Amino acid sequence: MSRRLKKNVSWEGKGLHSGSECRVTLSPYKEFSLSLNGICTSIKELRFEGSSRGSDLITPDGSKVRTVEHLMSAIGGLGLWETNIEVEGVEFPAIDGCSETFSRTLFASSEECEAVKPLELYSPIYCQGAGGAFISAVPSEKLSITYVIKYQNDLIGTMLYDYNDADCELYINEISRARTFALEKDIEQLLRNGMALGGSLDNAILVGESEIMTNGSLRYRDEFVRHKVLDLIGDLALVGMPVCARITAIRAGHIPHLQLIEKLRRLS
């Protein structure tokens, strides 16, 4: 599944963590790349780093673009592998706290094209992290993901979701609408660390000990684990091409995701 943009598409708004104004413009290009400060670099050649709160890209001159996973998820979920992302600012705009707006606009602005050759695995890859985090990728004819989360907060608890990459409609309707979330008990510390400055109940779900706070209700009973799948699809896009693998993630997050991406990149 691959698509190609027919025209430029732009968004602007506050970054989820920095709270600063930023803008991104996607345009048709010969490869999957990012432009910042006048320098265009292939996604495959960019360095990356992550924390429990997001994934960042680092350009050749040392500049950092924060919280790239939601837009990257839309790109990976739709198969827009011949796209340049031009960035103005330090972060991708948060928009709706998921990838629905990105995905629906990009789908309407693109068309099907010849499939890009995927990365294929010939042996399993495993990564383990702190707190029982585990992620693996084994050879498969297409991308599929099984994701398990477990939180001490009873309003989230343990959730499992199976995703099988089939078509854009499935991604848009079942994954792209799942919003980012945070525990209420963590907010004060996040703000002290200069994070979540652009977050609000319009673009995130806040989970307290006894209630879930957001504008509107949950979009899915298991919205929390679906958002983790969204994040993983965005992090997988940092490989720079489609990935054919059966991925299992247990209590993972951006750090284990990126450990896996590092190993996958070595195979590309």
Side-chain angles (χ1 to χ4, degrees), residues 119-126 134-148 160-165 232 236 243-249 260 264:
L119 173 64
E120 297 180 342
L121 273 64
Y122 297 97
S123 61
I125 298 173
Y126 303 94
F134 172 84
I135 189 167
S136 67
V138 300
S140 176
E141 294 182 354
K142 64 176 184 178
L143 174 65
S144 62
I145 296 169
T146 295
Y147 213 116
V148 179
L160 179 150
Y161 190 82
D162 283 313
Y163 174 76
N164 291 287
D165 187 25
L232 177 53
L236 282 170
V243 176
C244 287
R246 171 68 177 170
I247 297 178
T248 301
L260 177 67
L264 291 172

Side-chain angles (χ1 to χ4, degrees), residues 1 3 73-74 77-78 98-108 110 163 165 167-178 219-220 226 230 233:
M1 177 183 67
R3 298 183 68 82
S73 185
L78 300 182
C98 54
S99 64
E100 182 178 24
T101 297
F102 294 140
S103 299
R104 294 192 184 279
T105 304
L106 289 171
F107 183 80
S110 63
Y163 174 76
D165 187 25
D167 54 43
C168 296
E169 183 177 353
L170 175 68
Y171 173 81
I172 291 171
N173 293 330
E174 302 299 328
I175 299 299
S176 79
R177 301 183 67 245
R219 294 172 176 174
Y220 315 94
R226 291 186 194 223
L230 184 155
I233 292 172

Side-chain angles (χ1 to χ4, degrees), residues 50 76 117 189 225 231 241:
K117 184 179 179 180
Q189 183 65 45
V225 69
D231 281 346
M241 64 181 72

Side-chain angles (χ1 to χ4, degrees), residues 46-77:
L46 290 169
R47 293 186 294 120
F48 53 75
E49 63 183 23
S51 69
S52 60
R53 300 296 174 176
S55 296
D56 307 328
L57 284 172
I58 304 169
T59 65
D61 67 357
S63 299
K64 181 185 293 186
V65 183
R66 300 174 63 186
T67 326
V68 303
E69 61 270 13
H70 296 170
L71 178 55
M72 287 293 183
S73 185
I75 292 170

Side-chain angles (χ1 to χ4, degrees), residues 147-195:
Y147 213 116
V148 179
I149 62 172
K150 183 177 182 179
Y151 282 74
Q152 295 300 317
N153 185 293
D154 291 338
L155 297 179
I156 302 177
T158 301
M159 293 183 178
L160 179 150
Y161 190 82
D162 283 313
Y163 174 76
N164 291 287
D165 187 25
D167 54 43
C168 296
E169 183 177 353
L170 175 68
Y171 173 81
I172 291 171
N173 293 330
E174 302 299 328
I175 299 299
S176 79
R177 301 183 67 245
R179 295 160 292 177
T180 192
F181 63 94
L183 301 180
E184 185 179 24
K185 68 180 182 65
D186 295 336
I187 291 299
E188 185 177 343
Q189 183 65 45
L190 287 172
L191 295 173
R192 281 201 301 266
N193 292 338
M195 303 182 76

